[in-house]
Amino acid sequence: MTEPRNAPTPPGATPADDGVIPAPALPPRQTGGREPSTGGYRLQPAYYEPARVPAEVLRHAGVPTLPVGSPGKVGVLQLGFARNRGRTELVQHYQKSPLQIMHPLYFNPLRPDMAYTYLMSSGGGILQGDRLRTDLHFGPGTSAYLATQTHTRVYRMDHDYAAAIMNIEVEQDAYVEYLPEPTVPFADSRFYQQTSVVLDESATLLLGETVYAGRLARGERHAYDVYASDLEVRRPDGRLVALDRVRLCPQKGAEPGGAADGVNGLGVLADHDVLTMLYVLTPLASPAQLADTLHRVLGDSGGDLIYGVSTLPHDAGVWMRLVGNDTVAVAAANTAAASAVHELLTGRQAPVIRKS
């Protein structure tokens, strides 16, 4: 699922070598016709707008009812963790609505040093014209688990698109798990998620991503306009470790309900409703050990699940991609996979994560 190299180039944009169209210079409408007068650098478009936007998403650019940059349309979250007094503590915290957190928790008796933090939103979901940026920094020797409080709902859009930037930096000997709840793109939504990771060779990162075909309980399947996601992992010196892209672009009218062959094909979702990914980057176990662990756990999950596990270049780790129809079964398999890796890497049983 890669960006087509022959995609049309929007006016003002130049195709990049990797097939992603850089976003053109932002017109005045991005800030309501004026430059923001308060908020400092965090409210400048250069900070919250992705540097490059896929052509499938960029073609939906327009003027929403509340322009990009209006109050409540730009969410910012900056968190910094450091090891202090024998445990991982939050030492930097900036939040701008709708993004926010509560204080980290320490409820795992087997890992009393590990900070558990829930990323939250004061809004009901993601709206047209929203621009969200989250920066997470984990200092040397830190141990942390992060997740979202609930499913991320991407609502219907008449104009423009929504975008979320996630920057993660993991320093020496740190251990981090970021396993968010699924993203649910509603009908007529357009969403782009860009995740950039800088990972020290001695550090460990478990990173997850799950997307539904839509509001499945209402029979809504692939009625969104586009869901696009980019993941890039690099070393501190800039060396590329991993690059993964997801491009889901249903063609409405292909069949009742809006699902398109381009999404349901064998190389994409194979007519399944849930797609989940798990990336494990670590020096604490060999790729063969990690792959064997994931194969063993997923092989016992049963159901209609289809999955694959591959090793990453330079023995950096492994990644898993799984599709299924039963949201409960997919969640159980994903949790079992992450828990098994946690136990392999830490030698301790993974805790049961509660969110209510």
Side-chain angles (χ1 to χ4, degrees):
M1 292 173 283
T2 58
E3 176 84 0
R5 294 190 178 275
N6 60 348
T9 303
T14 302
D17 292 339
D18 56 6
V20 179
I21 304 298
L26 299 176
R29 62 97 184 166
Q30 295 286 4
T31 55
R34 59 179 174 81
E35 286 299 316
S37 58
T38 60
Y41 70 90
R42 298 184 182 93
L43 289 187
Q44 299 297 326
Y47 179 78
Y48 59 74
E49 288 280 1
R52 296 178 298 173
V53 179
E56 296 95 336
V57 178
L58 195 58
R59 68 186 180 88
H60 294 287
V63 182
T65 305
L66 287 177
V68 176
S70 301
K73 301 301 291 179
V74 176
V76 179
L77 183 63
Q78 297 172 325
L79 304 179
F81 294 86
R83 188 166 180 81
N84 186 29
R85 297 178 294 183
R87 71 176 188 176
T88 297
E89 295 186 348
L90 182 65
V91 296
Q92 179 196 9
H93 178 199
Y94 174 89
Q95 64 184 40
K96 178 186 178 299
S97 182
L99 299 183
Q100 62 184 28
I101 66 165
M102 298 185 69
H103 291 295
L105 306 174
Y106 300 87
F107 59 76
N108 184 357
L110 301 180
R111 290 296 304 272
D113 63 311
M114 195 168 186
Y116 287 76
T117 307
Y118 296 100
L119 309 185
M120 307 166 66
S121 173
S122 60
I126 296 176
L127 306 175
Q128 62 186 17
D130 280 2
R131 300 293 187 267
L132 309 176
R133 173 164 172 164
T134 300
D135 293 340
L136 306 174
H137 179 263
F138 303 91
T142 53
S143 297
Y145 176 100
L146 293 93
T148 51
Q149 181 190 29
T150 186
H151 290 33
T152 298
R153 297 168 177 84
V154 186
Y155 290 119
R156 178 179 179 272
M157 300 176 185
D158 296 315
H159 307 282
D160 208 64
Y161 58 88
I165 299 173
M166 170 75 72
N167 297 314
I168 304 174
E169 183 177 1
V170 189
E171 294 196 39
Q172 299 92 339
D173 299 317
Y175 180 94
V176 178
E177 298 182 8
Y178 175 50
L179 303 173
E181 292 294 305
T183 299
V184 185
F186 285 29
D188 301 316
S189 64
R190 308 94 177 244
F191 183 56
Y192 174 51
Q193 178 173 277
Q194 180 187 86
T195 303
S196 300
V197 178
V198 177
L199 182 70
D200 188 84
E201 291 193 45
S202 63
T204 293
L205 175 65
L206 276 67
L207 183 63
E209 179 183 353
T210 299
V211 58
Y212 287 177
R215 291 175 289 181
L216 302 178
R218 299 183 57 170
E220 184 178 283
R221 298 184 68 251
H222 302 299
Y224 51 88
D225 289 332
V226 56
Y227 174 89
S229 175
D230 287 331
L231 169 66
E232 182 178 282
V233 182
R234 293 185 180 272
R235 296 303 185 192
D237 60 7
R239 284 177 295 150
L240 182 65
V241 176
L243 177 66
D244 191 21
R245 292 178 181 164
V246 174
R247 300 288 188 269
L248 301 179
C249 306
Q251 299 173 6
K252 293 183 180 179
E255 63 184 57
D261 290 338
V263 172
N264 286 327
L266 291 177
V268 193
L269 298 182
D271 203 28
H272 289 73
D273 292 336
V274 186
L275 168 67
T276 188
M277 285 81 73
L278 177 67
Y279 311 89
V280 183
L281 300 110
T282 181
L284 302 180
S286 70
Q289 287 178 295
L290 294 168
D292 288 346
T293 297
L294 291 174
H295 277 294
R296 172 178 52 81
V297 173
L298 296 174
D300 296 335
S301 57
D304 66 342
L305 305 181
I306 301 175
Y307 68 90
V309 179
S310 300
T311 60
L312 296 173
H314 310 297
D315 294 332
V318 301
W319 70 292
M320 174 202 79
R321 183 161 288 182
L322 181 151
V323 294
N325 287 316
D326 187 333
T327 58
V328 175
V330 171
N334 199 29
T335 298
S339 297
V341 171
H342 175 98
E343 294 177 25
L344 173 66
L345 300 181
T346 67
R348 296 177 175 85
Q349 183 177 2
V352 176
I353 305 299
R354 299 184 61 183
K355 300 186 180 180
S356 60

